[in-house]
Amino acid sequence: MNMIQAINSAMDVMMDRDPAVVVMGEDVGYFGGVFRATAGLQEKYGKTRVFDTPITECGIIGVAIGMGAYGLRPVPEIQFADYIYPALDQLVSEAARLRYRSAGEFIAPLTVRSPFGGGIFGGQTHSQSPEGIFTHVSGLKTVIPATPYDAKGLLISCIEDNDPVIFFEPKRIYNGPFSGHYDAPARNWSNHPGGEVPTGYYRIPLGKAAVTRQGAAVTILTYGTMVHVVAQTVEETGIDAEIIDLRTLMPLDIDTILESVKKTGRCMIVHEATRTQGFGAELSAVVQERCFYHLEAPIERVTGFDTPYPHSLEWAYFPGPVRIRLALEKILKD
Amino acid sequence: MPVDAKRANLPPLSLHVPEPQFRPGDEVDFSDVAVPPAGEQPRPDTAADPGTFHELAYTLVRVLDEDGNAVGPWNPRLDADTLRTMLRNMALVRAFDERMFRAQRQGKTSFYMKCTGEEAVSVAATSALAADDMCFPSYRQQGILITRGYPLIEMMNQIYSNKGDKLQGKQLPIMYSARDHGFFSISGNLTTQFPQAVGWAMASAAKGDTRISATWCGEGSTAEGDFHSALTFATVYKAPVILNVVNNQWAISSFSGFAGAEATTFAARAIGYGIAGLRVDGNDPLAVYAATQWAAERARTNQGPTLIEHFTYRAEGHSTSDDPSAYRSAQEWSSWPLGDPIKRLKDHLIGLGEWDEDRQAAQDQELAEMVRKTQKDAEKNGILGHGMHQKFETMFEGVYEEMPWHLKEQMQQMLDEDDAAGHPGPKR
Ligand SMILES: Cc1ncc(C[n+]2csc(CCOP(=O)(O)OP(=O)(O)O)c2C)c(N)n1
């Protein structure tokens, strides 16, 4: 399966298992979503469980919260993460706080799915990586898969979770892993182990990272599309890096991170999102606080630049193989 | 280009900034507030086409006339017991407000908000709903809880954030939550409850349930984007929801003109969405009851949502943090042409021979005494400022269903601080 099919399969499995699961969003119903993630679901489960919505993100999330309060388990889609901002108030002030402010009387068991990230010539408003906004909000969980297998298992866990989850889907790797070499021929998931996806029910627990490459020289913390770009660069440079795909940013798998950094003594953080106050800053702080005496070099952050996401200069902006290689050389210098 | 260089032949534009009619010290004259005679407004079939509500969105549905008689097609013809219960609940809301306002002034809590003059908007509306219909209120509908028999002591415990507070001191006073009483958790962020109420109603419809939802916001809050989203969703899916706009003329210091009231009514907002819209005398408990009953029937028969504007007046300050004499004339409430909802229902019952001034006085006394006694009981659980009443650990509970490691770590830090400070909080 590719990642779209895996995500579709997760929703299919959950809708079949649990009549409380409903899917909603712009173009998700009859048409099956602009990325086809919900294709076939309306036909299978009917219009009252899979439905198109008006174009109002604050409405989509607000309505989903009300449905959650009723006892449903909504899976709203925000067409692009770049368009989640109109819903911020409902997410930050309502979904994230509902359990807390009602001392558990009401909960918001939503899973907000949204394609995110760049690498597709999406320009300013189809490329953003706003995860750092959500990891900052107590009460929200933030999950980002890097393979079809993980996407399905994580999404099922999110839908079953009783807390509101932001599930960001790296759309650059919907159809295949991305090496970072934008001029190389596109790959698909069929030759990647992460593309083998069971058709039935399985879960990947939230809050658990995956060590996707064992290594001794440096720990690289990353997620989403960058897991693959990092893997390619590590292979090309021959550096014995340990790559950790965080999978869940909040709550963070601190144990896996610390164990690795204490072993390697070096830590690099890679994400597409802009640098200043990006999630990398939190990762860096956490590692610095807890591994200070194990660190042999300053922690490196390889990120997008602090600019809006450009269109024509995308590949100068994107934290690709060159930026990663230079950072690796720097961190391994002494 | 210099400002006046090129187009000096055109008249200059001017910006209109609304200004209320009266400011502090002004003589108040509300004679231009259109108050149509009671009983003259048509009562359409509850299945009527939303396109036919033009007149009802601009007039005022009124039942009680100047002499306290119930007249016209909207008269809900309630029996005397129901009327007396409504009167009692409204009076209890007022007694409760008085007492809690005073408690705030005495420093027993940080904050309070009264709904004086607006008691009908919550009490009469709730009386017309089924007990299991879901309410998504703003902070000024304490009458819902009181009508549904929520224990006063629970409300007070919440206001005091004391050890009896079911919300564990997590919420600002009056931001109640009472799931068992069909009362959704109140948020500080205005109008967020509007799309939520629509979503609840959609869920109920999708599940083939029979329950409906109702929500309330102030006229100032209608300017929020959530209001538009909610109305769009409500009309698109014909959601079984009642959307109440409490037009009490003021949003803190801003008069209703800043929400668009100079140009049109709030009920008229419904027209553009294809929603049935009613504009109701919000100080006429029978009109509020009848409109809610009508809208509930419409919702329950899958005819879709109704927007009700309750035309009323915020008789007191916005909150205990507000001094209305700084922005409006003190005469406004006494001059308000629609009077006081409690007095109007009382006069009606007296006119029916079902009540009298002595009973009213006795009831007022009884209610005041009951509230006072309950307050004493609540204060046994503590008041705000007399130490911290919640176990410190509760601060970290309920952020997530299960506490993640970083919160456990921060909780430990706090417990260490508690040790270092000599345990000011309750025993763990
Ligand atoms: C999103 C948001 N903006 C601003 C505020 C601050 N605020 C609290 S109440 C209020 C006025 C609301 O007026 P209205 O909707 O007319 O209701 P009323 O207080 O008259 O019942 C404001 C501006 C808030 N709580 N939430």
Side-chain angles (χ1 to χ4, degrees), chain A residues 147-149 189-197:
Chain A
T147 65
Y149 179 83
W189 283 107
S190 56
N191 298 317
H192 190 287
E196 278 166 40
V197 181

Side-chain angles (χ1 to χ4, degrees), chain A residues 89, chain B residues 113 118 138-141 187-192 217-222 224 246-252 254 314 318:
Chain A
D89 187 36
Chain B
M113 290 174 115
E118 302 171 42
S138 84
Y139 44 71
R140 222 182 283 283
Q141 284 84 46
S187 171
N189 293 55
L190 295 173
T191 333
T192 50
C217 78
E219 88 292 340
S221 302
T222 63
E224 293 282 1
V246 183
N247 178 4
N248 64 12
Q249 315 302 320
W250 291 92
I252 311 185
S254 305
R314 194 194 80 209
H318 171 72

